[in-house]
Every structure is written in C-alpha cells, then in structure tokens.
Amino acid sequence: MQKLVIQGGIPLRGEVRISGAKNAALPMMCASLLTSDVLQLSNMPDLHDIATMRKLLEQMGVKASVQGDEMALHAAHVDKLEAPYDMVKTMRAAVLVLGPLVARFGEARVSMPGGCAIGSRPVDIHIKGLQAMGAQIFIEHGYIHAQAKRLKGARILFDIVSVTSTENLMMAAALAEGVTVLENAAREPEVVDLAHCLIAMGAKIEGAGSHTIVITGVDRLHGAAHRIMPDRIESGTFLVAAAATGGSIVLRDTRANILDSVLEKLTEAGAGIRSDSESIHLDMTGRPRSVNVRTAPYPAFPTDMQAQFMALNVIADSSAMVVETIFENRFMHVQELRRLGARIDVEGNTALVHGVDHLEGATVMATDLRASACLVIAGLVAQGETVIDRIYHLDRGYEHIEIKLSQLGANIFRIK
Ligand code: UD1
C-alpha cells in the first residue's frame, strides 16, 4: 500500500494549476449515456474516480478515448444497463448512471451503495424522484431495478438538498415527456456546469443554480463539447495548506466566485486574498486566527472543506467550533489529528478545536478523501516527519497532489 512521507514546517510558495472538477466531470461522463452521438469533455482531471467511471461506462458498451485532458465518450451501442456492486461500492457517484439509463433505454440495474465511511448515505431521494416520473422501481438482490417506457415530467420537491439526486433527475428529465420542476434543488456550481453541458447537448433547462430547476423534456439529445469547471475543493485545499504553513501562493485556472464562503473564512483566519477572473492569490503571515465553521449546502460552507479547516484550526490562536450538518460520522480525521498533538473535543456533530502552537509528525491513516487532505495539511505544518498511510483515498480526488505540493516547495514524496 502506498504512503506519503512529509517533512513539515516549510511555508508553501509559488504557483499551482487547478484541475477540472471531479464532481462536475463524473455526472457529465454519465450524461454521455443520454445520446448516441459523441460527448467531448475537456479539462478532465486525471483521477482514480474518473478511471472507475470510465471503466463502468466501458463495461456498458460506451466507447471512451482520452487525449491529454480531453475525453470523448460515445454511447452509440449500450448493451449492458447495469452498474455492478464492485463499482458502486468504491464510488457512490456510480448511481448517476441510473437517471440517464432509464431515460434513454427504459431500464437500469444499479447496485445499492453499501455503508460508507462518512455515514449511511442512502439513495432514497434518487429513487423517489424517478418513481414520481413514472418509473417502476424494484429493490432486488441488493440492486435498484428501474423500468419505464418513457419517463414523464413531474413536480419533485426534495426534502433534503442533495447534489447527485438533483443531477440524476435533471439528466432523466432532459429526455422525459413534458415538464419537470425540481424544487429545493441543489445549487452547487457543479449542478450548474452539468446543466450547461446538457444544454449544449440540446436539453431545455432553466433555473440551474437556483432553488427551482425547470426542465422541458426533448425527444433526443445530440453530441456536444464542454470544458469542465475548475475544482473548487482542490482550490480550497491548496489555499488552506498555504494559510496553515504561513505561505504565499497563486492558484491558476480557477475562479474565486465558486469559493465565496471558503475565501471569507480564510480572510477571517488572517489570510490576504486577491483574485482575478482566473486566479486566486493568498498571502499569510503569522499564526492563523481560529474560525468557526458550519457546513451546509451551497452557497454556504462546503462539507468537503470541513476537514481541511479543522487542520487550520488545530494550530490557530484560540478555540473554534466546527459543526458538520450534512453527513454523520465525518469527523474520522479527529483521532488522527490528535496523534499529531491536536486538541479537539467532539460532541455529536460538533467539534471544539483548541489551537496548539505546534504539531509533531507521526504516522497517521487516511480514512476518506477529504480526511486525507486534512492530514496532508497537518503533515505540512507539523515539525518533523509525518507518514500518511492508505493514500488511495487521496488519489480518488486529488490530481498528482504530491507533485503539485512539491512545486510549491513542500518536502513530500510517495513510497510504495
Ligand atoms: C455530493 C458530492 C460530495 C459532497 C456532497 C455534499 C459528488 C459526486 N459528490 O455527494 O463530494 O460531499 O455532495 O456537498 O458530487 N441523502 C439522502 N438520500 C439520498 C441522497 C442523499 O438522505 O437519496 C442525504 C445524504 O445522506 C446527506 C445529504 O442528503 O446527508 C446530502 O447528500 P448529497 O448532496 O446527496 O451528497 P452526494 O450527492 O452523495
């Protein structure tokens, strides 16, 4: 199993390019199932989850080709309408094939995602939405089996704001008969990016980015080319790493308007931030100020940045409260941070973080994607050597993280 070894204590300095967004790329790859023409996606990140999704689509009969950061997906002949357990268990986003398959082929079998490290994460909202659109759903042998002659437009009110449910149903509605209204829809920028891609394919979608999305179904969609938006979580992770180490960095190929709540908190922590249309500059001197954080759906503070801000608060000047409202059990990094000397009390979904003046390197274990990023940040700050085990989680969502951090001056390398 691969590990990362970090010699901490070096402030990050320099420039780094931000990759395309994983959470925009994954649903768009599934959108290729909606047409028999080619969908051409550019700014694709080179990530494990993207490779898993490609494999899943190829197993279904989709032809995929990659050149540089471009991926062409051609779903002219799809002969297997199934997402098997071994794919869904490693990547929950595989459930995003459900909507497109039922909408275009009238049938899909998708494994139920199992228990997941960051909470139970059910798929009931995806299922209820498709049922409202007329699909018949059977749960059999651990699979969701959905059938529909042609989906019909419906008014769907989400009782919880859910990103992938909004995306799944938006894709399904694009080929349904009539109008679908999604109320209390997720407003994440990745939902908007997917809507732009679908519109380029001929879909009729209004209101993406607001609480209400209206989709007027069409009979067929066509091929298109779309450039994937920058990864706001990768952007935020590098910014926090620079702030925590007292560094000064420039992020290229990203934009500030997808990161408002994160930039606000970094400013509160004492960082100086400047941005223009495609870059963000961060300068930090001295010890960070402690900042309270409460996760909530976009545009509020993202749950995918909670662990990284925990790492920042761990070495900040006083105490801060971190409240996780989206996922249960998303504090698994706390125990590992304590191994580095952090002082954190946890009560339910709230962590009280008491800043300490330094951390000490140790061996720690990555438990999920964003928890791993938090440990990398803590390792960059800690005195001496930190070894992070089980870094396959990181490779799911961060493109060449140790190479990018090395470019910024960090002493970090991978061992087998
Ligand atoms: C997406 C992101 C993930 C991010 C999360 C929240 C992708 C591929 N993943 O995950 O990185 O952390 O949004 O911003 O885009 N829920 C239900 N029933 C459902 C679906 C969700 O109860 O059918 C609950 C979840 O358990 C959670 C909440 O809804 O408590 C929000 O989850 P959701 O937005 O669906 O997360 P994902 O789309 O899986």
Side-chain angles (χ1 to χ4, degrees), residues 22-24 26-27 92-93 96 118-127 160-165 167 186 188 190 232-233 296-298 302-304 325-328 330 369-370:
K22 165 178 92 70
N23 286 354
L26 291 172
R92 228 184 91 84
L96 284 163
I118 60 172
S120 62
R121 301 183 86 176
V123 285
D124 55 310
I125 303 173
H126 302 248
I127 293 175
I160 299 175
V161 178
S162 160
V163 177
T164 46
S165 308
E167 293 167 342
E188 268 66 4
E190 293 78 11
R232 65 193 165 100
I233 306 302
Y298 190 86
T303 174
D304 286 349
T325 76
I326 306 288
F327 294 115
E328 50 190 274
R330 205 176 196 183
L369 173 54
R370 306 306 170 185

Side-chain angles (χ1 to χ4, degrees), residues 365-387:
M365 199 166 73
T367 48
D368 68 59
L369 173 54
R370 306 306 170 185
S372 318
C374 149
L375 295 177
V376 170
I377 295 169
L380 291 170
V381 172
Q383 295 172 0
E385 183 174 282
T386 296
V387 179

Side-chain angles (χ1 to χ4, degrees), residues 35-256:
T35 175
S36 57
D37 297 342
V38 175
L39 179 64
Q40 184 83 35
L41 299 171
S42 56
N43 202 27
M44 282 291 274
D46 181 12
L47 298 171
H48 211 267
D49 272 8
I50 299 294
T52 307
M53 184 63 88
R54 175 182 172 176
K55 197 162 139 201
L56 171 62
L57 293 172
E58 283 178 334
Q59 277 184 8
M60 291 175 178
V62 177
K63 298 266 175 281
S65 60
V66 173
Q67 205 164 28
D69 72 354
E70 298 205 351
M71 185 181 281
L73 294 160
H74 195 187
H77 305 286
V78 175
D79 45 23
K80 196 163 167 235
L81 307 171
E82 183 176 304
Y85 176 68
D86 58 340
M87 295 273 169
V88 185
K89 79 165 191 241
T90 57
M91 186 190 57
R92 228 184 91 84
V95 75
L96 284 163
V97 299
L98 185 61
L101 285 180
V102 189
R104 177 155 161 236
F105 303 102
E107 183 152 15
R109 281 185 86 240
V110 174
S111 170
M112 298 279 284
C116 160
I118 60 172
S120 62
R121 301 183 86 176
V123 285
D124 55 310
I125 303 173
H126 302 248
I127 293 175
K128 276 188 222 148
L130 286 174
Q131 281 171 328
M133 296 174 79
Q136 287 209 301
I137 309 251
F138 314 93
I139 307 292
E140 48 193 25
H141 306 292
Y143 276 73
I144 307 161
H145 185 182
Q147 281 178 320
K149 263 215 170 87
R150 182 167 180 197
L151 293 173
K152 296 205 170 18
R155 180 174 172 272
I156 297 165
L157 172 66
F158 295 106
D159 52 0
I160 299 175
V161 178
S162 160
V163 177
T164 46
S165 308
T166 302
E167 293 167 342
N168 227 340
L169 297 174
M170 189 164 71
M171 289 191 279
L175 280 183
E177 185 184 335
V179 178
T180 298
V181 181
L182 304 178
E183 305 265 19
N184 197 26
R187 292 186 285 163
E188 268 66 4
E190 293 78 11
V191 172
V192 179
D193 207 28
L194 173 64
H196 286 153
C197 176
L198 292 169
I199 290 167
M201 294 167 72
K204 295 195 173 139
I205 301 175
E206 283 170 33
S210 76
H211 292 294
T212 306
I213 306 178
V214 181
I215 306 117
T216 305
V218 295
D219 290 339
R220 69 176 293 275
L221 294 173
H222 50 71
H226 181 83
R227 183 174 173 80
I228 294 161
M229 63 174 283
D231 196 309
R232 65 193 165 100
I233 306 302
E234 188 197 23
S235 305
T237 302
F238 278 103
L239 291 174
V240 174
T245 56
S248 171
I249 65 167
V250 182
L251 307 186
R252 297 277 176 220
D253 293 346
T254 185
R255 43 179 218 264

